[in-house]
Amino acid sequence: MTALLVATAAAALLCLALLATVLVVRARIARLDRRTRGRRSEVSTILRTLLVEEGTAPPPRSTSTLHAVASVVTRVHGEDREALQSWLDANGATAIAKQGMRDRRAIERARAIRLYVRTTTEPSSILMVRMLDDPDARVRGVAALEWGSTGRTEAIAPVLAAACRAEHRLPPLVASIAIMRCRLLDVESLHAAWSTRDPDGLRVALSTGSDAGLPGVQPHAIAALANDDPLVRIAAADALRRVGTRRSLEPLRERLPLETNPIARRHLDEAIATLGGGS
């Protein structure tokens, strides 16, 4: 009988504990919902004031509001973009971002980079190069993509160099996306790949340069047909298919019988056919 009473009391206490937990969780969720609705309303008011009414928007209640407004910057252009950036800068976003880029937490450094690039009209090359050398791969990736999203040509060489180095290397795909967001006007911007002959860098330079239609990629692609890395040879064949001339046919034909990689052989065949050298 005593054991039954003890078990019943224990069950009752457990139920009470579970009920208390549920009530606490529900209270926290409700508080977060109110906070989210409040922030959404605040951001909407700021955006409406700046973009529709063209008035003076109130200062933000928290740093989160700055990040929320900054996320809209990439979706607008011209005077609307300038209005948002002026409001962000006037409310300390640039200073907050620079401080955040020194935070010990990688996620905060990444958030700070986004805030900085979207707040300023001309990101500092010194600051961005420093973030491209961050020990955390996620931070380096954000720095490259955000800098590339500005379309500024000065981002190309540092981003490519970050994809060519041994330590704190930038993944080729990230580097390619970042560079393709910029205005790639000449092959000299891709000098880091041509000079180091790094396989990752060569792939990025060959693909982005040929995608941009730069004829100066052709001699580098011809040289890369003999590279030890099959992925580089594939990128070289694809580059010649895009920007090569009939001058490329002889090197392509010479490489074809030497090529042992079946995928690379297929790309060589496609390049030869595209340039009018098929049988």
Side-chain angles (χ1 to χ4, degrees):
M1 187 65 179
T2 302
L4 180 60
L5 290 174
V6 171
T8 302
L13 289 173
L14 179 60
C15 288
L16 288 173
L18 290 173
L19 179 60
T21 301
V22 170
L23 291 175
V24 169
V25 170
R26 289 185 61 181
R28 289 181 177 177
I29 292 174
R31 187 163 59 250
L32 287 173
D33 285 343
R34 287 194 300 271
R35 190 177 302 167
T36 301
R37 285 195 299 271
R39 184 175 300 126
R40 189 180 299 121
S41 175
E42 179 192 11
V43 172
S44 297
T45 299
I46 292 169
L47 294 177
R48 184 174 61 254
T49 302
L50 292 173
L51 304 181
V52 180
E53 301 171 1
E54 298 183 357
T56 302
R61 298 173 190 165
S62 67
T63 303
S64 297
T65 301
L66 293 175
H67 285 281
V69 173
S71 68
V72 182
V73 169
T74 56
R75 306 175 195 173
V76 296
H77 304 279
E79 293 181 355
D80 288 342
R81 190 183 188 112
E82 292 174 4
L84 293 181
Q85 290 179 324
S86 295
W87 180 86
L88 286 164
D89 188 57
N91 286 281
T94 303
I96 291 172
K98 288 181 178 179
Q99 181 179 358
M101 284 190 278
R102 291 183 172 84
D103 197 287
R104 61 181 180 81
R105 295 164 294 178
I107 186 64
E108 291 302 322
R109 296 198 299 276
R111 291 181 75 229
I113 291 169
R114 291 191 184 97
L115 180 60
Y116 172 70
V117 172
R118 297 178 187 195
T119 297
T120 182
T121 56
E122 296 185 10
S124 164
S125 296
I126 296 175
L127 276 178
M128 296 308 296
V129 168
R130 190 186 79 199
M131 300 317 293
L132 283 174
D133 194 35
D134 192 273
D136 190 276
R138 296 166 297 178
V139 176
R140 298 196 297 273
V142 170
L145 295 175
E146 287 294 323
W147 201 2
S149 70
T150 64
R152 305 186 69 84
T153 56
E154 60 263 31
I156 297 174
V159 167
L160 183 60
C164 294
R165 63 191 175 208
E167 295 184 359
H168 297 171
R169 180 183 289 257
L170 192 67
L173 179 59
V174 175
S176 295
I177 294 173
I179 292 172
M180 285 190 287
R181 289 177 174 180
C182 302
R183 294 182 63 212
L184 183 54
L185 302 176
D186 58 72
V187 293
E188 286 305 311
S189 298
L190 306 173
H191 175 72
W194 313 139
S195 60
T196 64
R197 310 299 295 171
D198 176 84
D200 286 348
L202 280 172
R203 286 162 50 203
V204 172
L206 290 168
S207 62
T208 56
S210 59
D211 279 340
L214 301 179
V217 170
Q218 181 174 241
H220 299 288
I222 291 174
L225 289 174
N227 194 279
D228 292 337
D229 191 322
L231 294 178
V232 173
R233 300 198 298 274
I234 291 171
D238 289 344
L240 292 174
R241 177 171 53 81
R242 296 189 190 102
V243 299
T245 63
R246 294 190 65 84
R247 169 191 163 200
S248 302
L249 281 173
E250 184 176 351
L252 285 166
R253 286 170 173 157
E254 289 177 352
R255 179 65 205 178
L256 189 59
L258 303 175
E259 184 56 64
T260 58
N261 186 287
I263 299 176
R265 283 184 62 85
R266 187 175 76 246
H267 284 258
L268 288 168
D269 279 327
E270 291 173 356
I272 291 170
T274 299
L275 295 174
S279 56

